[in-house]
Amino acid sequence: MNFKTVIKLSVDILMTLALLFLMGYHLWGESLHEWLGTGMFLLFIAHHILNRYWCKTLFGGSYNIMRITTLCIDVFILLIMLAQMYSGVAMSRHVFDFLPSFSGISLARQVHILGAYWGYILMSLHLGLHWNMILGMSRKIIKMKNKSKLCSISAFIAGLIIAGYGVWAFIRRDFMTYLLLKSEFVFMDYSESKILFTIDYIALMGSCIFIAHYGTKIRYKLRKKSEVSR
């Protein structure tokens, strides 16, 4: 594995970890949340610089359903990250407290809540759509040449269990309320276990990855079958 690939993978891992920590705002404190948010935005910029070739391919080739879906998710993530940076700076009490006061703090709070919850779902789906590439990189690191059928079945069962738990966490943590902005304030349990919170959010991310990854696989198999039958 070359140096650039290692850097790409490192940036993606750091972004994923930052995303998990950012969702636990109430567990880590306001100051750390702001610093992590700033770091996340810088990592996001680095991610796009490292993957700038993708931008050059946007106007080339044909667009099928999967490519359109991936592009839409990526565009929404970009808009969300810009909105999060704006709303984060507007509400900042630590990192950007040297800036003049912003008006419209109530609107900034609403934007930040929407961006946080939709961003988490969309970034998790983005990971799922690129899961084959991530698995390929991981196999190169551990020097795993071939994957057995047993390994594939085991991975599917483990993924299904994680996804099931993730759906339960989605319901229990009332994600839909914040995705639809039914409340301007997020309920935060300051006494909850950091470990259990992290498990819930990893499982929730896992459910999105599972849906995107296996959804892509099913669509690919159906398309191949359709091509063969012609």
Side-chain angles (χ1 to χ4, degrees), residues 11-25 28 33 36-37 39-41 43-44 77 80-81 84 115-127 175 197-198 201-202 204-206 208-209:
V11 167
D12 291 347
I13 289 169
L14 287 172
M15 282 179 71
T16 305
L17 290 173
L19 188 61
L20 282 166
F21 279 106
L22 284 167
M23 295 305 290
Y25 163 83
W28 309 105
H33 181 82
L36 277 172
M40 177 71 167
F41 190 74
L43 286 169
F44 184 76
I77 289 172
I80 284 168
M81 286 300 294
Q84 287 301 87
Y117 285 86
W118 276 108
Y120 195 83
I121 296 295
L122 291 174
M123 286 183 197
S124 300
L125 289 172
H126 174 85
L127 274 174
F175 243 69
F197 176 89
T198 305
Y201 273 80
I202 288 174
L204 212 157
M205 180 181 285
C208 293
I209 292 171

Side-chain angles (χ1 to χ4, degrees), residues 141-161:
I141 291 171
I142 63 174
K143 296 179 180 177
M144 179 181 173
K145 293 183 179 179
N146 299 310
K147 72 173 179 178
S148 64
K149 194 169 184 179
L150 179 62
C151 184
S152 296
I153 293 169
S154 300
F156 176 80
I157 292 169
L160 188 62
I161 292 168

Side-chain angles (χ1 to χ4, degrees), residues 37-150:
T38 305
M40 177 71 167
F41 190 74
L42 294 174
L43 286 169
F44 184 76
I45 293 170
H47 174 83
H48 277 271
I49 292 170
L50 290 167
N51 293 279
R52 60 189 178 277
Y53 174 75
W54 173 81
C55 297
K56 296 177 183 177
T57 65
L58 284 176
F59 302 102
S62 59
Y63 273 81
N64 55 27
I65 293 172
M66 276 309 302
R67 194 177 178 192
I68 292 169
T69 302
T70 303
L71 179 61
C72 287
I73 288 174
D74 290 345
V75 169
F76 278 123
I77 289 172
L78 174 61
L79 294 174
I80 284 168
M81 286 300 294
L82 293 173
Q84 287 301 87
M85 195 60 198
Y86 160 75
S87 56
V89 170
M91 296 188 295
S92 177
R93 296 180 184 176
H94 303 277
V95 180
F96 300 102
D97 62 339
F98 59 89
L99 293 175
S101 298
F102 283 74
S103 59
I105 295 299
S106 177
L107 177 61
R109 186 185 296 111
Q110 291 175 350
V111 168
H112 211 70
I113 291 171
L114 274 175
Y117 285 86
W118 276 108
Y120 195 83
I121 296 295
L122 291 174
M123 286 183 197
S124 300
L125 289 172
H126 174 85
L127 274 174
L129 290 172
H130 295 83
W131 201 242
N132 271 333
M133 183 181 70
I134 294 167
L135 290 175
M137 286 183 183
S138 303
R139 289 192 197 103
K140 283 183 181 179
I141 291 171
I142 63 174
K143 296 179 180 177
M144 179 181 173
K145 293 183 179 179
N146 299 310
K147 72 173 179 178
S148 64
K149 194 169 184 179
L150 179 62

